């Protein structure tokens, strides 16, 4: 009877613990991917975080890993110093969301970006984002971050 | 001994269950707030979801509940049919993130928006967002959602 209760307790606990571990691993994978792709512009290193497909919703990038490769080549060519800082990261189930300050050219005010990544088995399979230029003036003093 | 194990199992389970309930309640609160504020433009109804402060990071809105009130009055005046659909919602700890299609004028392509809300005790206390106009043409066929 005691063994039954312990087993029941373990069964009840394990999925939540497993989910929390997977969520933290997903956050770490996205942060590493972001740095390798956007900051280092190193497709060959970043591609190990991509799954069997890469569904792209950014209207400026073509679908699939090849679209990302072309986008990073564009950044390397036109904006070699393009740099992004992840300000906050969230995860919910298979999704990781990052709030990012991107600066295309050193000294520029840059953009606020929020990206959503979907992961399967720890690999990124889908990407959405929204980008807004940081305006010179704001109606409040809190910054966009 | 058996009672001890049951108590231990309950103690281990309860915080996670409580957190999951709070997370779902936060998602529901943000969805209701969004509809009352942005779609119904009804500040008096929406304000019950706002906490003791409302820190605003949208550069077009003034800080605090009064800033939201003025922004909704602006929408009601200039864009009375402004409508937003929440496409997906995420939650992580005290934060709720929504991915939204907003259409300022019926028939327009509209904007992709991602909002981040921070909640305390079930009330919204801070807001960030990023907005991007949906372009006419895209490099892929997946839409921004």
């Amino acid at each position: 009877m005691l063994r039954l209760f312990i087993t029941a307790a373990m069964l009840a606990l394990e999925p939540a613990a497993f989910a929390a571990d997977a969520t933290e691993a997903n956050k770490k994978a996205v942060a590493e991917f972001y740095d390798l792709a956007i900051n280092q512009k190193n497709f060959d290193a970043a591609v190990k975080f991509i799954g069997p497909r890469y569904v792209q919703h950014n209207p400026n990038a073509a679908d699939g890993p090849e679209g990302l490769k072309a986008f990073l080549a564009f950044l390397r060519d036109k904006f070699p110093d393009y740099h992004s800082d992840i300000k906050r990261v969230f995860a919910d189930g298979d999704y990781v969301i990052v709030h990012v300050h991107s600066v295309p050219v050193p000294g520029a005010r840059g953009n606020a970006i929020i990206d959503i990544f979907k992961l399967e088995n720890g690999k990124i399979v889908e990407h959405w984002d929204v980008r807004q230029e940081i305006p010179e003036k704001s109606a409040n003093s809190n910054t966009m971050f």
Side-chain angles (χ1 to χ4, degrees), chain A:
Chain A
M1 185 66 174
L2 177 57
R3 186 168 297 170
L4 196 78
F5 269 96
I6 295 171
T7 307
M10 285 175 69
L11 282 172
L13 283 167
E14 271 179 351
F18 177 77
D21 283 353
T23 296
E24 286 308 309
N26 282 351
K27 282 183 179 178
K28 193 163 172 284
V30 166
E32 284 190 46
F33 169 78
Y34 217 97
D35 184 56
L36 290 169
I38 303 300
N39 291 338
Q40 300 189 38
K41 302 158 191 68
N42 184 344
F43 176 78
D44 292 339
V47 75
K48 68 174 179 282
F49 290 100
I50 294 185
R53 66 185 190 284
Y54 186 62
V55 181
Q56 180 61 263
H57 295 268
N58 179 320
N60 297 315
D63 210 14
E66 289 304 312
L68 176 67
K69 188 174 185 174
F71 181 70
L72 297 186
F74 162 81
L75 282 187
R76 187 181 281 277
D77 184 37
K78 302 291 183 193
F79 298 97
D81 294 320
Y82 191 108
H83 188 88
S84 287
D85 281 320
I86 296 178
K87 298 294 189 179
R88 40 186 71 81
V89 55
F90 308 102
D92 184 352
D94 293 332
Y95 296 83
V96 173
I97 302 102
V98 288
H99 193 189
V100 173
H101 182 201
S102 82
V103 179
V105 176
R109 275 193 306 278
N111 308 287
I113 299 176
I114 301 176
D115 297 90
I116 301 170
F117 295 93
K118 184 178 184 185
L119 292 91
E120 285 176 5
N121 304 313
K123 303 283 189 179
I124 297 166
V125 297
E126 195 159 5
H127 170 248
W128 301 257
D129 67 352
V130 178
R131 184 179 66 83
Q132 182 176 345
E133 285 186 25
I134 298 171
E136 187 180 350
K137 291 180 181 175
S138 173
N140 59 67
S141 58
N142 302 317
T143 85
M144 286 189 77
F145 302 101

